[in-house]
Amino acid sequence: MTLRLSPSFTIGELSRTGNTALADANEAEARAFVVPLTALCVNVLQPIRDHFKAPVSINSGFRGAAVNAKVGGASKSQHCRGEAADFSVPGVPLLDVYRWIVEESGLPWDQCIAETRKGPGMPFT
């Protein structure tokens, strides 16, 4: 049975990983973090989806220890506690989403980072 965290988000979406060998274990580990994951979805991600009237595509949500190590994540990453998600809103420019969150939304966010790329493989924030 799929565990729904908000009207538009499931635990599967928030724990998805590109590493298929770790996918089931990551979702199982994420279930211990249902409370913060639900808060993230209800208080941040769902309002973003509702405001832009568009899907929110989760690129990286919950990362258990094995997944976090595999991607080279920080050991104290909020992703490991179910408190962070990297996402995009298809069809909406990243900086428009960023500006709305930071300047207008009133959402309870801790860090809001607009990760974009300039040139081949040269990230800037």
Side-chain angles (χ1 to χ4, degrees), residues 28-107:
E29 194 173 343
R31 290 178 179 273
F33 295 88
V34 166
V35 171
L37 284 167
T38 299
L40 175 64
C41 290
V42 168
N43 298 324
V44 179
L45 298 174
Q46 188 68 48
I48 291 168
R49 186 183 196 287
D50 294 346
H51 174 78
F52 289 102
K53 297 176 179 51
V56 171
S57 178
I58 307 298
N59 303 318
S60 179
F62 176 80
R63 294 193 307 242
V67 170
N68 196 54
K70 189 79 171 167
V71 301
S75 62
K76 296 186 182 208
S77 170
Q78 288 180 289
H79 287 274
C80 299
R81 298 188 312 261
E83 299 171 349
D86 300 344
F87 65 90
S88 62
V89 180
V92 181
L94 175 65
L95 291 178
D96 289 353
V97 175
Y98 174 84
R99 284 186 192 104
W100 180 77
I101 293 169
V102 172
E103 297 171 7
E104 300 174 29
S105 73
L107 296 176

